[in-house]
Amino acid sequence: MAEPSGTFRRPLIGTTAEQLDGFEQAVQSEAGVTLREYLLGRLHEDTVEAFVNSPGFGVARGVGFPTEERLKPRLERGDTPVQPGPPVIWGYGEPFGTVPDTDQKRLAGLHASGLLDFVNAREWGYVQSRSRVAGFLSHRFSRVPEIETWRVQRIELVGLLKHPEPVVYVSDRLPAMIELPSVPTRPLDTFEEAGLGAVRRGEDGFAARRGDVIRFVGGIRSARQCVECHGGERGDLLGAFSYALLPARTRP
Ligand code: HEC
């Protein structure tokens, strides 16, 4: 798998370090469920019993005793949703306006919840080494993330790892790794270039508006759990999401 490039390794600035800490914790709590489910779901009952009674299981490993509640199948994730609206491309030459700080914060929150859904840590299974996860393609959105007063119209993945130049994957569904090999790509538009520039400098995200349309580019950075599969270093940029939003009152 292509490793993140060290060329753009920069100190994280602004709220980026905080965001990454929060993301890492959230991933940890989701991935923790997987380990438990993995152990309890796949082992034969007798083996589970032998395992849970063995020293080191439970509190020390943070896995806990298998109650019926914990053995229930995990909540179903929906199919990858279709994009709620058409693509948005901003041409060169037309300036875009700024977005107030409070709205930028809300967009960062939207991105944080979308990203957590996308990485889908509950389905990572038991990561042992990079070579053991060949064929693993479970990152995908299972729902359209929500934000007050606005409506998400579009979320696209800005890919940095597989092409010599950054590309945007154009799909009629929200980003899902499984379909990336078959979806077309396009170059970044003027807004996405500015946004990617900001996240490469270490910013967490970049927002702008033109008319009713609000756009946001949010960086996807490697938490320590991502490094296990992706290589590189914690904080490296693995990609970005490009969001387009409209006021909730407008129709798609
Ligand atoms: C269990 C292994 C594994 C873990 C853990 C993992 N990933 Fe991935 N990720 C993959 C694989 C496999 C791909 C597909 C790469 C490929 O096809 O070359 C991928 C692809 C991606 C891509 C798309 C890259 C592109 O341009 O095509 C992003 C973004 C990404 N991962 C982010 C993350 C983040 C963020 C984390 C941590 C929260 C993470 N991944 C953790 C295995 C993993």
Side-chain angles (χ1 to χ4, degrees), residues 1 23 119 124 127 133 136 139 159-162 177 220-221 225-226 229-230 238:
M1 170 157 66
F23 178 48
V119 298
W124 286 353
V127 180
V133 296
F136 162 98
H139 297 331
L160 304 179
L161 304 183
K162 293 210 195 140
M177 282 317 296
I220 305 178
R221 287 182 199 279
Q225 300 94 335
C226 321
C229 288
H230 282 274
L238 298 178

mmCIF file with all atom_site columns, all heavy atoms in Angstrom, residues 1 23 119 124 127 133 136 139 159-162 177 220-221 225-226 229-230 238, ligand 1:
data_model
loop_
_atom_site.group_PDB
_atom_site.id
_atom_site.type_symbol
_atom_site.label_atom_id
_atom_site.label_alt_id
_atom_site.label_comp_id
_atom_site.label_asym_id
_atom_site.label_entity_id
_atom_site.label_seq_id
_atom_site.pdbx_PDB_ins_code
_atom_site.Cartn_x
_atom_site.Cartn_y
_atom_site.Cartn_z
_atom_site.occupancy
_atom_site.B_iso_or_equiv
_atom_site.pdbx_formal_charge
_atom_site.auth_seq_id
_atom_site.auth_comp_id
_atom_site.auth_asym_id
_atom_site.auth_atom_id
_atom_site.pdbx_PDB_model_num
ATOM   1   N  N   . MET A 1 1   ? 0.853   -1.199 0.000  1.00 0.00 ? 1   MET A N   1
ATOM   2   C  CA  . MET A 1 1   ? 0.000   0.000  0.000  1.00 0.00 ? 1   MET A CA  1
ATOM   3   C  C   . MET A 1 1   ? 0.885   1.243  0.000  1.00 0.00 ? 1   MET A C   1
ATOM   4   O  O   . MET A 1 1   ? 1.900   1.286  0.670  1.00 0.00 ? 1   MET A O   1
ATOM   5   C  CB  . MET A 1 1   ? -0.895  -0.075 1.239  1.00 0.00 ? 1   MET A CB  1
ATOM   6   C  CG  . MET A 1 1   ? -1.673  1.144  1.548  1.00 0.00 ? 1   MET A CG  1
ATOM   7   S  SD  . MET A 1 1   ? -3.116  0.792  2.555  1.00 0.00 ? 1   MET A SD  1
ATOM   8   C  CE  . MET A 1 1   ? -2.388  0.246  4.091  1.00 0.00 ? 1   MET A CE  1
ATOM   9   N  N   . PHE A 1 23  ? -9.747  12.469 17.777 1.00 0.00 ? 23  PHE A N   1
ATOM   10  C  CA  . PHE A 1 23  ? -10.005 11.446 16.763 1.00 0.00 ? 23  PHE A CA  1
ATOM   11  C  C   . PHE A 1 23  ? -9.419  10.109 17.223 1.00 0.00 ? 23  PHE A C   1
ATOM   12  O  O   . PHE A 1 23  ? -10.070 9.059  17.168 1.00 0.00 ? 23  PHE A O   1
ATOM   13  C  CB  . PHE A 1 23  ? -9.375  11.901 15.444 1.00 0.00 ? 23  PHE A CB  1
ATOM   14  C  CG  . PHE A 1 23  ? -9.505  10.938 14.298 1.00 0.00 ? 23  PHE A CG  1
ATOM   15  C  CD1 . PHE A 1 23  ? -10.719 10.356 13.985 1.00 0.00 ? 23  PHE A CD1 1
ATOM   16  C  CD2 . PHE A 1 23  ? -8.397  10.625 13.515 1.00 0.00 ? 23  PHE A CD2 1
ATOM   17  C  CE1 . PHE A 1 23  ? -10.835 9.473  12.917 1.00 0.00 ? 23  PHE A CE1 1
ATOM   18  C  CE2 . PHE A 1 23  ? -8.504  9.747  12.447 1.00 0.00 ? 23  PHE A CE2 1
ATOM   19  C  CZ  . PHE A 1 23  ? -9.720  9.161  12.148 1.00 0.00 ? 23  PHE A CZ  1
ATOM   20  N  N   . VAL A 1 119 ? -13.785 5.792  8.525  1.00 0.00 ? 119 VAL A N   1
ATOM   21  C  CA  . VAL A 1 119 ? -12.681 4.856  8.794  1.00 0.00 ? 119 VAL A CA  1
ATOM   22  C  C   . VAL A 1 119 ? -13.217 3.525  9.307  1.00 0.00 ? 119 VAL A C   1
ATOM   23  O  O   . VAL A 1 119 ? -12.601 2.494  9.120  1.00 0.00 ? 119 VAL A O   1
ATOM   24  C  CB  . VAL A 1 119 ? -11.569 5.415  9.720  1.00 0.00 ? 119 VAL A CB  1
ATOM   25  C  CG1 . VAL A 1 119 ? -10.908 6.612  9.080  1.00 0.00 ? 119 VAL A CG1 1
ATOM   26  C  CG2 . VAL A 1 119 ? -12.073 5.709  11.103 1.00 0.00 ? 119 VAL A CG2 1
ATOM   27  N  N   . TRP A 1 124 ? -12.295 -3.117 11.495 1.00 0.00 ? 124 TRP A N   1
ATOM   28  C  CA  . TRP A 1 124 ? -10.891 -3.368 11.198 1.00 0.00 ? 124 TRP A CA  1
ATOM   29  C  C   . TRP A 1 124 ? -10.495 -4.798 11.540 1.00 0.00 ? 124 TRP A C   1
ATOM   30  O  O   . TRP A 1 124 ? -9.525  -5.316 11.016 1.00 0.00 ? 124 TRP A O   1
ATOM   31  C  CB  . TRP A 1 124 ? -9.981  -2.422 11.998 1.00 0.00 ? 124 TRP A CB  1
ATOM   32  C  CG  . TRP A 1 124 ? -9.975  -1.042 11.489 1.00 0.00 ? 124 TRP A CG  1
ATOM   33  C  CD1 . TRP A 1 124 ? -10.576 -0.581 10.346 1.00 0.00 ? 124 TRP A CD1 1
ATOM   34  C  CD2 . TRP A 1 124 ? -9.355  0.080  12.091 1.00 0.00 ? 124 TRP A CD2 1
ATOM   35  N  NE1 . TRP A 1 124 ? -10.357 0.759  10.213 1.00 0.00 ? 124 TRP A NE1 1
ATOM   36  C  CE2 . TRP A 1 124 ? -9.613  1.192  11.275 1.00 0.00 ? 124 TRP A CE2 1
ATOM   37  C  CE3 . TRP A 1 124 ? -8.601  0.267  13.256 1.00 0.00 ? 124 TRP A CE3 1
ATOM   38  C  CZ2 . TRP A 1 124 ? -9.131  2.462  11.581 1.00 0.00 ? 124 TRP A CZ2 1
ATOM   39  C  CZ3 . TRP A 1 124 ? -8.132  1.523  13.552 1.00 0.00 ? 124 TRP A CZ3 1
ATOM   40  C  CH2 . TRP A 1 124 ? -8.393  2.619  12.730 1.00 0.00 ? 124 TRP A CH2 1
ATOM   41  N  N   . VAL A 1 127 ? -6.048  -6.212 13.812 1.00 0.00 ? 127 VAL A N   1
ATOM   42  C  CA  . VAL A 1 127 ? -4.896  -5.811 13.009 1.00 0.00 ? 127 VAL A CA  1
ATOM   43  C  C   . VAL A 1 127 ? -3.631  -6.405 13.610 1.00 0.00 ? 127 VAL A C   1
ATOM   44  O  O   . VAL A 1 127 ? -3.263  -6.106 14.727 1.00 0.00 ? 127 VAL A O   1
ATOM   45  C  CB  . VAL A 1 127 ? -4.748  -4.266 12.979 1.00 0.00 ? 127 VAL A CB  1
ATOM   46  C  CG1 . VAL A 1 127 ? -3.547  -3.868 12.153 1.00 0.00 ? 127 VAL A CG1 1
ATOM   47  C  CG2 . VAL A 1 127 ? -6.009  -3.623 12.461 1.00 0.00 ? 127 VAL A CG2 1
ATOM   48  N  N   . VAL A 1 133 ? -3.436  -7.559 6.328  1.00 0.00 ? 133 VAL A N   1
ATOM   49  C  CA  . VAL A 1 133 ? -4.683  -6.875 6.005  1.00 0.00 ? 133 VAL A CA  1
ATOM   50  C  C   . VAL A 1 133 ? -4.836  -6.617 4.506  1.00 0.00 ? 133 VAL A C   1
ATOM   51  O  O   . VAL A 1 133 ? -5.626  -5.805 4.090  1.00 0.00 ? 133 VAL A O   1
ATOM   52  C  CB  . VAL A 1 133 ? -4.846  -5.547 6.778  1.00 0.00 ? 133 VAL A CB  1
ATOM   53  C  CG1 . VAL A 1 133 ? -4.932  -5.809 8.263  1.00 0.00 ? 133 VAL A CG1 1
ATOM   54  C  CG2 . VAL A 1 133 ? -3.712  -4.582 6.469  1.00 0.00 ? 133 VAL A CG2 1
ATOM   55  N  N   . PHE A 1 136 ? -8.064  -5.533 2.548  1.00 0.00 ? 136 PHE A N   1
ATOM   56  C  CA  . PHE A 1 136 ? -8.962  -4.847 3.478  1.00 0.00 ? 136 PHE A CA  1
ATOM   57  C  C   . PHE A 1 136 ? -9.440  -3.546 2.860  1.00 0.00 ? 136 PHE A C   1
ATOM   58  O  O   . PHE A 1 136 ? -8.644  -2.708 2.485  1.00 0.00 ? 136 PHE A O   1
ATOM   59  C  CB  . PHE A 1 136 ? -8.192  -4.572 4.771  1.00 0.00 ? 136 PHE A CB  1
ATOM   60  C  CG  . PHE A 1 136 ? -8.815  -3.536 5.645  1.00 0.00 ? 136 PHE A CG  1
ATOM   61  C  CD1 . PHE A 1 136 ? -9.604  -3.915 6.708  1.00 0.00 ? 136 PHE A CD1 1
ATOM   62  C  CD2 . PHE A 1 136 ? -8.621  -2.192 5.403  1.00 0.00 ? 136 PHE A CD2 1
ATOM   63  C  CE1 . PHE A 1 136 ? -10.182 -2.959 7.522  1.00 0.00 ? 136 PHE A CE1 1
ATOM   64  C  CE2 . PHE A 1 136 ? -9.205  -1.224 6.207  1.00 0.00 ? 136 PHE A CE2 1
ATOM   65  C  CZ  . PHE A 1 136 ? -9.982  -1.620 7.272  1.00 0.00 ? 136 PHE A CZ  1
ATOM   66  N  N   . HIS A 1 139 ? -13.085 0.913  4.702  1.00 0.00 ? 139 HIS A N   1
ATOM   67  C  CA  . HIS A 1 139 ? -13.404 2.329  4.970  1.00 0.00 ? 139 HIS A CA  1
ATOM   68  C  C   . HIS A 1 139 ? -14.573 2.751  4.078  1.00 0.00 ? 139 HIS A C   1
ATOM   69  O  O   . HIS A 1 139 ? -14.488 2.641  2.857  1.00 0.00 ? 139 HIS A O   1
ATOM   70  C  CB  . HIS A 1 139 ? -12.254 3.260  4.581  1.00 0.00 ? 139 HIS A CB  1
ATOM   71  C  CG  . HIS A 1 139 ? -10.981 3.065  5.337  1.00 0.00 ? 139 HIS A CG  1
ATOM   72  N  ND1 . HIS A 1 139 ? -10.900 2.598  6.618  1.00 0.00 ? 139 HIS A ND1 1
ATOM   73  C  CD2 . HIS A 1 139 ? -9.701  3.340  4.970  1.00 0.00 ? 139 HIS A CD2 1
ATOM   74  C  CE1 . HIS A 1 139 ? -9.644  2.582  7.001  1.00 0.00 ? 139 HIS A CE1 1
ATOM   75  N  NE2 . HIS A 1 139 ? -8.886  3.004  6.024  1.00 0.00 ? 139 HIS A NE2 1
ATOM   76  N  N   . GLY A 1 159 ? -7.772  12.252 -2.943 1.00 0.00 ? 159 GLY A N   1
ATOM   77  C  CA  . GLY A 1 159 ? -6.785  11.186 -2.775 1.00 0.00 ? 159 GLY A CA  1
ATOM   78  C  C   . GLY A 1 159 ? -5.372  11.715 -2.984 1.00 0.00 ? 159 GLY A C   1
ATOM   79  O  O   . GLY A 1 159 ? -5.105  12.417 -3.965 1.00 0.00 ? 159 GLY A O   1
ATOM   80  N  N   . LEU A 1 160 ? -4.502  11.379 -2.046 1.00 0.00 ? 160 LEU A N   1
ATOM   81  C  CA  . LEU A 1 160 ? -3.113  11.858 -2.133 1.00 0.00 ? 160 LEU A CA  1
ATOM   82  C  C   . LEU A 1 160 ? -2.128  10.718 -2.318 1.00 0.00 ? 160 LEU A C   1
ATOM   83  O  O   . LEU A 1 160 ? -0.964  10.939 -2.609 1.00 0.00 ? 160 LEU A O   1
ATOM   84  C  CB  . LEU A 1 160 ? -2.739  12.590 -0.830 1.00 0.00 ? 160 LEU A CB  1
ATOM   85  C  CG  . LEU A 1 160 ? -3.625  13.748 -0.411 1.00 0.00 ? 160 LEU A CG  1
ATOM   86  C  CD1 . LEU A 1 160 ? -3.131  14.333 0.912  1.00 0.00 ? 160 LEU A CD1 1
ATOM   87  C  CD2 . LEU A 1 160 ? -3.631  14.824 -1.493 1.00 0.00 ? 160 LEU A CD2 1
ATOM   88  N  N   . LEU A 1 161 ? -2.596  9.475  -2.117 1.00 0.00 ? 161 LEU A N   1
ATOM   89  C  CA  . LEU A 1 161 ? -1.639  8.381  -1.994 1.00 0.00 ? 161 LEU A CA  1
ATOM   90  C  C   . LEU A 1 161 ? -1.392  7.616  -3.287 1.00 0.00 ? 161 LEU A C   1
ATOM   91  O  O   . LEU A 1 161 ? -0.348  7.033  -3.471 1.00 0.00 ? 161 LEU A O   1
ATOM   92  C  CB  . LEU A 1 161 ? -2.113  7.384  -0.922 1.00 0.00 ? 161 LEU A CB  1
ATOM   93  C  CG  . LEU A 1 161 ? -2.384  7.957  0.475  1.00 0.00 ? 161 LEU A CG  1
ATOM   94  C  CD1 . LEU A 1 161 ? -2.781  6.855  1.442  1.00 0.00 ? 161 LEU A CD1 1
ATOM   95  C  CD2 . LEU A 1 161 ? -1.142  8.678  0.992  1.00 0.00 ? 161 LEU A CD2 1
ATOM   96  N  N   . LYS A 1 162 ? -2.348  7.598  -4.178 1.00 0.00 ? 162 LYS A N   1
ATOM   97  C  CA  . LYS A 1 162 ? -2.236  6.656  -5.290 1.00 0.00 ? 162 LYS A CA  1
ATOM   98  C  C   . LYS A 1 162 ? -1.888  7.270  -6.622 1.00 0.00 ? 162 LYS A C   1
ATOM   99  O  O   . LYS A 1 162 ? -1.703  6.563  -7.599 1.00 0.00 ? 162 LYS A O   1
ATOM   100 C  CB  . LYS A 1 162 ? -3.559  5.923  -5.448 1.00 0.00 ? 162 LYS A CB  1
ATOM   101 C  CG  . LYS A 1 162 ? -3.820  5.038  -4.257 1.00 0.00 ? 162 LYS A CG  1
ATOM   102 C  CD  . LYS A 1 162 ? -4.636  3.853  -4.666 1.00 0.00 ? 162 LYS A CD  1
ATOM   103 C  CE  . LYS A 1 162 ? -5.202  3.159  -3.461 1.00 0.00 ? 162 LYS A CE  1
ATOM   104 N  NZ  . LYS A 1 162 ? -6.557  2.725  -3.689 1.00 0.00 ? 162 LYS A NZ  1
ATOM   105 N  N   . MET A 1 177 ? -13.981 2.879  0.068  1.00 0.00 ? 177 MET A N   1
ATOM   106 C  CA  . MET A 1 177 ? -12.751 2.360  -0.536 1.00 0.00 ? 177 MET A CA  1
ATOM   107 C  C   . MET A 1 177 ? -13.008 1.282  -1.574 1.00 0.00 ? 177 MET A C   1
ATOM   108 O  O   . MET A 1 177 ? -12.322 1.191  -2.568 1.00 0.00 ? 177 MET A O   1
ATOM   109 C  CB  . MET A 1 177 ? -11.816 1.784  0.543  1.00 0.00 ? 177 MET A CB  1
ATOM   110 C  CG  . MET A 1 177 ? -11.048 2.803  1.328  1.00 0.00 ? 177 MET A CG  1
ATOM   111 S  SD  . MET A 1 177 ? -10.351 4.142  0.353  1.00 0.00 ? 177 MET A SD  1
ATOM   112 C  CE  . MET A 1 177 ? -9.192  3.269  -0.686 1.00 0.00 ? 177 MET A CE  1
ATOM   113 N  N   . ILE A 1 220 ? -7.435  14.510 6.476  1.00 0.00 ? 220 ILE A N   1
ATOM   114 C  CA  . ILE A 1 220 ? -7.513  13.169 7.074  1.00 0.00 ? 220 ILE A CA  1
ATOM   115 C  C   . ILE A 1 220 ? -6.099  12.813 7.507  1.00 0.00 ? 220 ILE A C   1
ATOM   116 O  O   . ILE A 1 220 ? -5.229  12.567 6.668  1.00 0.00 ? 220 ILE A O   1
ATOM   117 C  CB  . ILE A 1 220 ? -8.027  12.130 6.060  1.00 0.00 ? 220 ILE A CB  1
ATOM   118 C  CG1 . ILE A 1 220 ? -9.370  12.564 5.478  1.00 0.00 ? 220 ILE A CG1 1
ATOM   119 C  CG2 . ILE A 1 220 ? -8.126  10.752 6.713  1.00 0.00 ? 220 ILE A CG2 1
ATOM   120 C  CD1 . ILE A 1 220 ? -9.919  11.610 4.418  1.00 0.00 ? 220 ILE A CD1 1
ATOM   121 N  N   . ARG A 1 221 ? -5.879  12.854 8.811  1.00 0.00 ? 221 ARG A N   1
ATOM   122 C  CA  . ARG A 1 221 ? -4.523  12.616 9.320  1.00 0.00 ? 221 ARG A CA  1
ATOM   123 C  C   . ARG A 1 221 ? -4.427  11.271 9.993  1.00 0.00 ? 221 ARG A C   1
ATOM   124 O  O   . ARG A 1 221 ? -5.386  10.763 10.562 1.00 0.00 ? 221 ARG A O   1
ATOM   125 C  CB  . ARG A 1 221 ? -4.153  13.698 10.327 1.00 0.00 ? 221 ARG A CB  1
ATOM   126 C  CG  . ARG A 1 221 ? -3.878  14.989 9.646  1.00 0.00 ? 221 ARG A CG  1
ATOM   127 C  CD  . ARG A 1 221 ? -3.460  16.101 10.583 1.00 0.00 ? 221 ARG A CD  1
ATOM   128 N  NE  . ARG A 1 221 ? -3.663  17.356 9.881  1.00 0.00 ? 221 ARG A NE  1
ATOM   129 C  CZ  . ARG A 1 221 ? -2.803  17.843 9.001  1.00 0.00 ? 221 ARG A CZ  1
ATOM   130 N  NH1 . ARG A 1 221 ? -1.668  17.221 8.759  1.00 0.00 ? 221 ARG A NH1 1
ATOM   131 N  NH2 . ARG A 1 221 ? -3.072  18.955 8.357  1.00 0.00 ? 221 ARG A NH2 1
ATOM   132 N  N   . GLN A 1 225 ? -3.338  4.598  15.385 1.00 0.00 ? 225 GLN A N   1
ATOM   133 C  CA  . GLN A 1 225 ? -3.889  3.320  14.942 1.00 0.00 ? 225 GLN A CA  1
ATOM   134 C  C   . GLN A 1 225 ? -3.818  3.156  13.423 1.00 0.00 ? 225 GLN A C   1
ATOM   135 O  O   . GLN A 1 225 ? -3.819  2.044  12.919 1.00 0.00 ? 225 GLN A O   1
ATOM   136 C  CB  . GLN A 1 225 ? -5.356  3.186  15.370 1.00 0.00 ? 225 GLN A CB  1
ATOM   137 C  CG  . GLN A 1 225 ? -5.585  3.240  16.858 1.00 0.00 ? 225 GLN A CG  1
ATOM   138 C  CD  . GLN A 1 225 ? -5.916  4.658  17.327 1.00 0.00 ? 225 GLN A CD  1
ATOM   139 O  OE1 . GLN A 1 225 ? -5.559  5.648  16.698 1.00 0.00 ? 225 GLN A OE1 1
ATOM   140 N  NE2 . GLN A 1 225 ? -6.591  4.754  18.454 1.00 0.00 ? 225 GLN A NE2 1
ATOM   141 N  N   . CYS A 1 226 ? -3.817  4.270  12.708 1.00 0.00 ? 226 CYS A N   1
ATOM   142 C  CA  . CYS A 1 226 ? -3.780  4.205  11.244 1.00 0.00 ? 226 CYS A CA  1
ATOM   143 C  C   . CYS A 1 226 ? -2.386  3.810  10.770 1.00 0.00 ? 226 CYS A C   1
ATOM   144 O  O   . CYS A 1 226 ? -2.238  3.166  9.729  1.00 0.00 ? 226 CYS A O   1
ATOM   145 C  CB  . CYS A 1 226 ? -4.152  5.549  10.633 1.00 0.00 ? 226 CYS A CB  1
ATOM   146 S  SG  . CYS A 1 226 ? -5.487  6.422  11.471 1.00 0.00 ? 226 CYS A SG  1
ATOM   147 N  N   . CYS A 1 229 ? -1.390  0.215  9.680  1.00 0.00 ? 229 CYS A N   1
ATOM   148 C  CA  . CYS A 1 229 ? -1.623  -0.250 8.310  1.00 0.00 ? 229 CYS A CA  1
ATOM   149 C  C   . CYS A 1 229 ? -0.987  0.676  7.274  1.00 0.00 ? 229 CYS A C   1
ATOM   150 O  O   . CYS A 1 229 ? -0.495  0.229  6.253  1.00 0.00 ? 229 CYS A O   1
ATOM   151 C  CB  . CYS A 1 229 ? -3.117  -0.326 8.008  1.00 0.00 ? 229 CYS A CB  1
ATOM   152 S  SG  . CYS A 1 229 ? -3.949  -1.675 8.845  1.00 0.00 ? 229 CYS A SG  1
ATOM   153 N  N   . HIS A 1 230 ? -1.051  1.979  7.542  1.00 0.00 ? 230 HIS A N   1
ATOM   154 C  CA  . HIS A 1 230 ? -0.660  2.930  6.497  1.00 0.00 ? 230 HIS A CA  1
ATOM   155 C  C   . HIS A 1 230 ? 0.821   3.271  6.473  1.00 0.00 ? 230 HIS A C   1
ATOM   156 O  O   . HIS A 1 230 ? 1.283   3.874  5.512  1.00 0.00 ? 230 HIS A O   1
ATOM   157 C  CB  . HIS A 1 230 ? -1.481  4.218  6.616  1.00 0.00 ? 230 HIS A CB  1
ATOM   158 C  CG  . HIS A 1 230 ? -2.863  4.070  6.067  1.00 0.00 ? 230 HIS A CG  1
ATOM   159 N  ND1 . HIS A 1 230 ? -3.160  4.254  4.739  1.00 0.00 ? 230 HIS A ND1 1
ATOM   160 C  CD2 . HIS A 1 230 ? -4.029  3.705  6.648  1.00 0.00 ? 230 HIS A CD2 1
ATOM   161 C  CE1 . HIS A 1 230 ? -4.449  4.036  4.536  1.00 0.00 ? 230 HIS A CE1 1
ATOM   162 N  NE2 . HIS A 1 230 ? -5.001  3.695  5.675  1.00 0.00 ? 230 HIS A NE2 1
ATOM   163 N  N   . LEU A 1 238 ? -3.266  11.625 5.065  1.00 0.00 ? 238 LEU A N   1
ATOM   164 C  CA  . LEU A 1 238 ? -3.605  10.455 4.233  1.00 0.00 ? 238 LEU A CA  1
ATOM   165 C  C   . LEU A 1 238 ? -4.577  10.826 3.120  1.00 0.00 ? 238 LEU A C   1
ATOM   166 O  O   . LEU A 1 238 ? -4.829  10.042 2.220  1.00 0.00 ? 238 LEU A O   1
ATOM   167 C  CB  . LEU A 1 238 ? -4.231  9.355  5.094  1.00 0.00 ? 238 LEU A CB  1
ATOM   168 C  CG  . LEU A 1 238 ? -3.352  8.760  6.211  1.00 0.00 ? 238 LEU A CG  1
ATOM   169 C  CD1 . LEU A 1 238 ? -4.144  7.724  7.004  1.00 0.00 ? 238 LEU A CD1 1
ATOM   170 C  CD2 . LEU A 1 238 ? -2.112  8.112  5.607  1.00 0.00 ? 238 LEU A CD2 1
HETATM 171 C  C1  . HEC B 2 .   ? -6.607  -2.469 9.013  1.00 0.00 ? 1   HEC B C1  1
HETATM 172 C  C2  . HEC B 2 .   ? -5.781  -1.662 8.151  1.00 0.00 ? 1   HEC B C2  1
HETATM 173 C  C3  . HEC B 2 .   ? -6.107  -0.188 8.059  1.00 0.00 ? 1   HEC B C3  1
HETATM 174 C  C4  . HEC B 2 .   ? -6.238  0.688  9.087  1.00 0.00 ? 1   HEC B C4  1
HETATM 175 C  C5  . HEC B 2 .   ? -6.097  0.426  10.585 1.00 0.00 ? 1   HEC B C5  1
HETATM 176 C  C6  . HEC B 2 .   ? -6.517  1.962  8.485  1.00 0.00 ? 1   HEC B C6  1
HETATM 177 N  N1  . HEC B 2 .   ? -6.558  1.860  7.131  1.00 0.00 ? 1   HEC B N1  1
HETATM 178 FE FE1 . HEC B 2 .   ? -6.926  3.334  5.802  1.00 0.00 ? 1   HEC B FE1 1
HETATM 179 N  N2  . HEC B 2 .   ? -6.771  2.049  4.258  1.00 0.00 ? 1   HEC B N2  1
HETATM 180 C  C7  . HEC B 2 .   ? -6.449  0.722  4.388  1.00 0.00 ? 1   HEC B C7  1
HETATM 181 C  C8  . HEC B 2 .   ? -6.402  0.129  3.057  1.00 0.00 ? 1   HEC B C8  1
HETATM 182 C  C9  . HEC B 2 .   ? -6.077  -1.315 2.752  1.00 0.00 ? 1   HEC B C9  1
HETATM 183 C  C10 . HEC B 2 .   ? -6.697  1.160  2.149  1.00 0.00 ? 1   HEC B C10 1
HETATM 184 C  C11 . HEC B 2 .   ? -6.759  1.058  0.643  1.00 0.00 ? 1   HEC B C11 1
HETATM 185 C  C12 . HEC B 2 .   ? -5.400  1.410  0.179  1.00 0.00 ? 1   HEC B C12 1
HETATM 186 C  C13 . HEC B 2 .   ? -5.089  0.917  -1.168 1.00 0.00 ? 1   HEC B C13 1
HETATM 187 O  O1  . HEC B 2 .   ? -5.983  0.432  -1.854 1.00 0.00 ? 1   HEC B O1  1
HETATM 188 O  O2  . HEC B 2 .   ? -3.913  1.090  -1.530 1.00 0.00 ? 1   HEC B O2  1
HETATM 189 C  C14 . HEC B 2 .   ? -6.920  2.347  2.930  1.00 0.00 ? 1   HEC B C14 1
HETATM 190 C  C15 . HEC B 2 .   ? -7.204  3.586  2.394  1.00 0.00 ? 1   HEC B C15 1
HETATM 191 C  C16 . HEC B 2 .   ? -7.352  4.756  3.107  1.00 0.00 ? 1   HEC B C16 1
HETATM 192 C  C17 . HEC B 2 .   ? -7.586  6.061  2.538  1.00 0.00 ? 1   HEC B C17 1
HETATM 193 C  C18 . HEC B 2 .   ? -7.731  6.401  1.068  1.00 0.00 ? 1   HEC B C18 1
HETATM 194 C  C19 . HEC B 2 .   ? -6.401  6.602  0.447  1.00 0.00 ? 1   HEC B C19 1
HETATM 195 C  C20 . HEC B 2 .   ? -6.476  6.836  -1.045 1.00 0.00 ? 1   HEC B C20 1
HETATM 196 O  O3  . HEC B 2 .   ? -6.131  7.923  -1.497 1.00 0.00 ? 1   HEC B O3  1
HETATM 197 O  O4  . HEC B 2 .   ? -6.867  5.930  -1.779 1.00 0.00 ? 1   HEC B O4  1
HETATM 198 C  C21 . HEC B 2 .   ? -7.678  6.932  3.580  1.00 0.00 ? 1   HEC B C21 1
HETATM 199 C  C22 . HEC B 2 .   ? -7.943  8.420  3.487  1.00 0.00 ? 1   HEC B C22 1
HETATM 200 C  C23 . HEC B 2 .   ? -7.482  6.184  4.805  1.00 0.00 ? 1   HEC B C23 1
HETATM 201 N  N3  . HEC B 2 .   ? -7.279  4.856  4.472  1.00 0.00 ? 1   HEC B N3  1
HETATM 202 C  C24 . HEC B 2 .   ? -7.515  6.720  6.068  1.00 0.00 ? 1   HEC B C24 1
HETATM 203 C  C25 . HEC B 2 .   ? -7.303  5.984  7.239  1.00 0.00 ? 1   HEC B C25 1
HETATM 204 C  C26 . HEC B 2 .   ? -7.299  6.574  8.567  1.00 0.00 ? 1   HEC B C26 1
HETATM 205 C  C27 . HEC B 2 .   ? -7.489  8.041  8.883  1.00 0.00 ? 1   HEC B C27 1
HETATM 206 C  C28 . HEC B 2 .   ? -7.081  5.552  9.437  1.00 0.00 ? 1   HEC B C28 1
HETATM 207 C  C29 . HEC B 2 .   ? -6.991  5.602  10.937 1.00 0.00 ? 1   HEC B C29 1
HETATM 208 C  C30 . HEC B 2 .   ? -8.082  6.188  11.654 1.00 0.00 ? 1   HEC B C30 1
HETATM 209 C  C31 . HEC B 2 .   ? -6.946  4.342  8.659  1.00 0.00 ? 1   HEC B C31 1
HETATM 210 N  N4  . HEC B 2 .   ? -7.081  4.643  7.337  1.00 0.00 ? 1   HEC B N4  1
HETATM 211 C  C32 . HEC B 2 .   ? -6.700  3.106  9.215  1.00 0.00 ? 1   HEC B C32 1
HETATM 212 C  C33 . HEC B 2 .   ? -6.224  0.031  5.552  1.00 0.00 ? 1   HEC B C33 1
HETATM 213 C  C34 . HEC B 2 .   ? -6.297  0.559  6.820  1.00 0.00 ? 1   HEC B C34 1
#
